[in-house]
Amino acid sequence: MKKLLITFISIFTTGIFAGLFFGTGISPENRIYLCEMILSGLNDSSSGAVMHTFTVFLSEISLILLMIPALFTKYLSFFPPSVLFYKSFSLGFCCSLIYSSDIENSLYISMLRILPQNLFFVPAFISLAAIFFSLSIRRKPQKNRLLHNESRSLLFAAAVSAGLIFAGAVIDSVFRAAAL
């Protein structure tokens, strides 16, 4: 499992750098337009803290739901690394847009709006992608039981990762309320 985690950390870092490089290669007009869109989404204060927490949690869980089909067949085992790459690419892309635009408080935005919740989301997504991938390639036709001894510890780790995602959603709401 350690080699698999290292591989998925590498996929995550590759996605971050791809997002950073892609975001810096956009024309200045489009960069400003996209940055304004990101900032308008970050500054949306129309919902309460509980509703915002629930919305963030559902959006993160929807990415996890995209990984679940990999549990049913090994032919869909590319879903977890793909979702992890998408998550890291979007994180790198948004950060590069915020930093490369001429915004005077880009460090403030990243420290209060992007970094705190991602301290929880990133390890959860890396571990969940590795767990779903591992369970996908371990499935054998003669062993149709998903809950044998090795898989139970992986499912416990998946539950802990889901808890981390919920904690990240709560932290996102707390820092969003503090930044208003």
Side-chain angles (χ1 to χ4, degrees):
M1 188 67 176
K2 288 181 183 179
K3 290 180 183 179
L4 194 60
L5 281 174
I6 291 172
T7 302
F8 278 84
I9 289 171
S10 300
I11 290 171
F12 186 82
T13 348
T14 303
I16 289 244
F17 285 119
L20 287 171
F21 292 133
F22 187 76
T24 56
I26 294 178
S27 69
E29 302 87 30
N30 290 338
R31 187 179 313 133
I32 291 170
Y33 175 70
L34 289 172
C35 186
E36 288 174 358
M37 284 180 38
I38 290 172
L39 292 177
S40 70
L42 290 175
N43 293 330
D44 183 25
S45 62
S46 61
S47 63
V50 174
M51 189 57 139
H52 182 74
T53 301
F54 186 68
T55 304
V56 170
F57 182 70
L58 282 181
S59 69
E60 300 298 326
I61 290 296
S62 66
L63 288 174
I64 293 170
L65 291 176
L66 289 173
M67 292 190 252
I68 288 181
L71 294 175
F72 301 113
T73 179
K74 67 180 178 179
Y75 300 113
L76 297 176
S77 62
F78 65 90
F79 278 2
S82 300
V83 170
L84 180 66
F85 184 80
Y86 168 77
K87 176 75 174 164
S88 62
F89 182 87
S90 62
L91 181 64
F93 181 74
C94 291
C95 288
S96 71
L97 285 177
I98 289 172
Y99 279 113
S100 63
S101 297
D102 291 328
I103 299 174
E104 64 275 354
N105 55 358
S106 60
L107 183 63
Y108 171 77
I109 290 170
S110 66
M111 289 299 179
L112 286 183
R113 302 285 177 104
I114 297 174
L115 184 63
Q117 66 271 21
N118 282 311
L119 291 175
F120 293 93
F121 291 153
V122 168
F125 268 94
I126 290 173
S127 65
L128 281 174
I131 288 167
F132 287 151
F133 183 79
S134 174
L135 289 175
S136 175
I137 61 174
R138 281 189 188 177
R139 302 270 304 184
K140 296 179 183 173
Q142 67 268 21
K143 273 190 165 181
N144 205 9
R145 288 182 46 207
L146 182 64
L147 295 175
H148 62 285
N149 290 337
E150 294 175 13
S151 296
R152 286 184 186 168
S153 63
L154 291 177
L155 289 177
F156 176 73
V160 169
S161 297
L164 281 175
I165 289 175
F166 183 73
V170 170
I171 294 293
D172 186 9
S173 294
V174 167
F175 276 91
R176 179 180 159 265
L180 290 179

